[in-house]
Amino acid sequence: MEDRDFSYFTEQFKAMTAIDLNLYKEAQMKRRLTMFRQKKGFASFQTLLGEMRTNKQLLNEMLDRMTINVSEFFRNPERWSTLEKEFVIPMLQKLPDGSKLKFWSAACSSGEEPYTLMMLLDRLGAVNKSEVLATDLDKAILNKAMQGSYVERALREVSSDLRKLYFTYDQGMYHFSPQLKSKVVFRQHNLLEDSFENGFDLIICRNVMIYFTEEAKRKLYQKFATALKPGGILFVGSTEQIFTPAIYNLEPADTFFYRKMATRV
Ligand SMILES: C[S@@+](CC[C@H](N)C(=O)[O-])C[C@H]1O[C@@H](n2cnc3c(N)ncnc32)[C@H](O)[C@@H]1O
């Protein structure tokens, strides 16, 4: 009965939001949504669904609960220094005059990841040689990202020099540089449903693929590989190694980095 209630919910929820819960690991998702349903006092998913059809706020709260938005600046700092030294600097050295590097922070949450990239690019004098796209499924978190205000915890890996350069502190919050903020293009985007742009030099997609089923991940790796330029880099999270990258035309480039190989002939 409970299983049927949840699968009916999954079906109807997809029709309503275009989000396919079947592409997320089931046990984890079910646990999270059951907690949400119980907290809101609904006896079944069917009654929750009925209420969500007219109550936008409830729908938004549920979307918030569906995904975990935790992020921080320079998450796994040593990976960011590898990104800078091994990949971004060489990309800049090879960049033809007048061209721009194309970067995508996919599932960017509240903006810490694209803004970390902006600080890195600014220190390399590369902001005007770059285009940075940042996307997430969750509109509310994107609004937060565009505001760019953070509590201390999100900055625990940010040195005091960088804090001085790129943040102002006011009323308990750190506010990210408006100038760098304005260079990031934020957009709502569902990695599991929407089409991808292509021609990226670097795609950062970290700490979201862990929520997806193996099948959804396989499709996603293929789409990322297609979206990269030959030689472009995919940067994944610290529990998200790709076990057979060659089938996507990717090769390991460093720990948690994959390079798109030149097109096969
Ligand atoms: C844990 S955060 C990761 C943030 C950042 N990438 C990092 O590693 O710090 C996961 C993000 O994935 C987003 N997300 C979940 N499913 C998604 C999907 N299908 N398409 C795009 N973003 C999704 C969530 O809204 C959430 O903001």
Side-chain angles (χ1 to χ4, degrees):
M1 179 62 194
E2 232 178 67
D3 280 353
R4 236 184 309 137
D5 184 37
F6 191 70
S7 46
Y8 175 77
F9 175 80
T10 304
E11 204 180 282
Q12 295 297 311
F13 187 71
K14 185 171 181 200
M16 199 164 157
T17 63
I19 296 169
D20 188 352
L21 296 175
N22 288 315
L23 300 175
Y24 290 78
K25 284 181 189 152
E26 191 185 349
Q28 215 178 40
M29 183 58 80
K30 207 166 167 184
R31 197 175 338 111
R32 207 169 303 141
L33 297 188
T34 302
M35 273 166 67
F36 177 76
R37 172 175 68 70
Q38 288 168 344
K39 192 173 147 223
K40 291 290 169 185
F42 292 92
S44 68
F45 278 106
Q46 195 168 352
T47 50
L48 172 68
L49 189 76
E51 177 66 20
M52 268 180 356
R53 288 191 196 282
T54 51
N55 185 341
K56 263 251 157 346
Q57 189 182 332
L58 185 67
L59 173 63
N60 287 336
E61 277 182 53
M62 140 104 199
L63 288 170
D64 269 1
R65 185 56 56 92
M66 232 188 77
T67 56
I68 292 182
N69 295 126
V70 176
S71 191
E72 66 179 287
F73 290 91
F74 293 98
R75 193 169 188 173
N76 310 111
E78 77 294 351
R79 296 295 87 207
W80 284 92
S81 68
T82 298
L83 174 69
E84 177 173 345
K85 290 192 198 101
E86 302 299 326
F87 303 113
V88 178
I89 292 176
M91 282 175 195
L92 285 166
Q93 285 165 345
K94 281 187 255 157
L95 187 69
D97 280 347
S99 311
K100 287 192 173 187
L101 292 172
K102 201 170 159 183
F103 299 115
W104 179 18
S105 165
C108 68
S109 187
S110 31
E112 291 89 332
E113 188 174 274
Y115 294 151
T116 298
L117 180 64
M118 291 312 293
M119 289 189 267
L120 186 156
L121 292 171
D122 192 54
R123 281 183 304 151
L124 297 172
V127 169
N128 292 327
K129 297 176 193 163
S130 309
E131 284 173 13
V132 178
L133 171 68
T135 62
D136 199 279
L137 175 70
D138 180 348
K139 264 194 195 155
I141 209 72
L142 282 174
N143 284 334
K144 221 176 142 205
M146 286 185 266
Q147 269 169 17
S149 301
Y150 301 94
V151 293
E152 169 80 36
R153 195 190 174 283
L155 278 83
R156 61 183 183 166
E157 297 291 353
V158 182
S159 67
S160 58
D161 284 354
L162 291 187
R163 287 182 192 211
K164 276 187 213 127
L165 274 174
Y166 296 112
F167 293 86
T168 49
Y169 182 74
D170 185 35
Q171 299 188 357
M173 300 287 277
Y174 290 84
H175 307 279
F176 188 62
S177 151
Q179 199 216 341
L180 291 187
K181 215 165 61 171
S182 70
K183 304 276 184 187
V184 178
V185 174
F186 286 99
R187 195 179 297 153
Q188 189 191 21
H189 181 272
N190 183 347
L191 286 167
L192 300 174
E193 301 288 334
D194 295 336
S195 59
F196 289 12
E197 281 182 33
N198 52 30
F200 288 102
D201 294 279
L202 170 71
I203 298 173
I204 308 174
C205 185
R206 308 180 70 209
N207 306 303
V208 63
M209 291 186 278
I210 32 165
Y211 302 119
F212 298 157
T213 62
E214 289 307 311
E215 157 117 42
K217 276 193 255 188
R218 278 196 292 274
K219 285 195 187 143
L220 192 53
Y221 295 147
Q222 191 56 65
K223 285 167 81 180
F224 280 142
T226 307
L228 285 169
K229 281 181 188 162
I233 295 293
L234 174 63
F235 178 15
V236 302
S238 301
T239 53
E240 297 174 322
Q241 301 99 307
I242 305 176
F243 292 109
T244 50
I247 61 174
Y248 311 104
N249 209 21
L250 296 170
E251 61 182 357
D254 204 308
T255 317
F256 309 120
F257 292 95
Y258 298 89
R259 181 182 288 107
K260 178 173 175 175
M261 294 187 266
T263 317
R264 282 175 284 213
V265 278

